[in-house]
Amino acid sequence: MKFAKEIRVGNIIMVDSKPMIVLRSDVNGSSRTGFTYKWKMKNLLTNSPQESVFRGDDKFDVVVLDKKPVTYSYFADPLYVFMDEEYNQYEIEGENMGDAIGYLKDGMQCEAVFYDGKAISVEMPTTIVRKVAYSEPAVKGNTSGNVLKEAKIENAIEANQIVVMVPLFVSQDDDIEIDTRTNEYKKVVRG
């Protein structure tokens, strides 16, 4: 059990017997009157959002989720199917995948997150390398300062293709490294 004042963004807690992930935390009050914590949360099982206010001395159970390495296999609308090394298949609903959908590629390694024995979401590696599927060519004379352009990256499902802002020198078919937490370009990967 942890006090509300010890809970951080990203922690998974039990609220009314439901697993909730804390997405945002706002603190109000003073040391004399006591602090209140307004949390924006999301139910891990239903994906429904919720906002609640708690006192600093309210107690919560913190949940530690199980994780297992898996490989992306295929898309069976609306489910994404992953397989572990023992060939067990796990189906995860698209709405629970979040930004991970834009990075999926056949045979990609990632981690499935389990709650109560059920796969509920997927965690991507922190950085991945993807080929630029499409990018406009650089315009001559547009090179002063930190100028960026849009680049679509390859993935398994074209409808979920994401756009990354890249420097002008990046062109189509270049391999680039991307930070999956922020969707930011890191560098061009050569050879």
Side-chain angles (χ1 to χ4, degrees):
M1 297 285 277
K2 279 190 176 182
F3 290 108
K5 61 186 173 188
E6 298 171 325
I7 304 294
R8 301 289 175 251
V9 171
N11 285 157
I12 296 157
I13 58 173
M14 296 301 286
V15 177
D16 301 327
S17 302
K18 297 179 209 139
M20 306 290 276
I21 183 167
V22 178
L23 302 174
R24 193 170 130 195
S25 177
D26 295 320
V27 182
N28 293 315
S30 68
S31 57
R32 190 170 45 166
T33 61
F35 291 100
T36 58
Y37 296 83
K38 182 178 180 182
W39 290 337
K40 182 177 181 183
M41 302 177 287
K42 180 176 81 169
N43 186 319
L44 289 178
L45 301 177
T46 64
N47 246 10
S48 59
Q50 176 180 331
E51 282 192 20
S52 298
V53 178
F54 300 100
R55 293 185 328 224
D57 57 355
D58 289 342
K59 286 187 171 186
F60 299 93
D61 283 324
V62 176
V63 179
V64 177
L65 299 176
D66 296 325
K67 295 180 182 178
K68 180 188 272 192
V70 293
T71 303
Y72 174 64
S73 293
Y74 60 92
F75 177 62
D77 198 5
L79 301 173
Y80 292 82
V81 181
F82 296 85
M83 191 178 298
D84 66 12
E85 56 191 23
E86 285 100 36
Y87 302 106
N88 296 317
Q89 289 190 351
Y90 304 101
E91 297 175 338
I92 300 173
E93 293 180 24
E95 62 187 26
N96 292 347
M97 296 283 292
D99 293 339
I101 291 175
Y103 298 111
L104 284 180
K105 190 175 173 186
D106 292 336
M108 178 181 179
Q109 295 286 322
C110 46
E111 282 190 322
V113 179
F114 292 85
Y115 173 73
D116 207 19
K118 180 182 184 293
I120 58 170
S121 70
V122 159
E123 284 188 5
M124 293 283 117
T126 305
T127 59
I128 60 168
V129 175
R130 286 290 179 268
K131 186 177 292 298
V132 175
Y134 177 77
S135 179
E136 293 287 335
V139 178
K140 188 175 181 178
N142 197 5
T143 57
S144 65
N146 190 9
V147 181
L148 300 174
K149 64 179 182 178
E150 292 183 350
K152 289 184 179 179
I153 63 167
E154 69 172 354
N155 66 350
I157 301 162
E158 202 168 307
N160 296 327
Q161 217 168 30
I162 63 170
V163 174
V164 177
M165 298 305 289
V166 298
L168 291 177
F169 62 82
V170 174
S171 59
Q172 193 166 324
D173 296 328
D174 279 351
D175 289 326
I176 60 172
E177 186 175 296
I178 304 163
D179 186 328
T180 58
R181 298 168 298 185
T182 59
N183 193 35
E184 289 180 347
Y185 161 88
K186 291 300 218 183
K187 64 182 180 183
V188 172
V189 178
R190 305 279 184 212

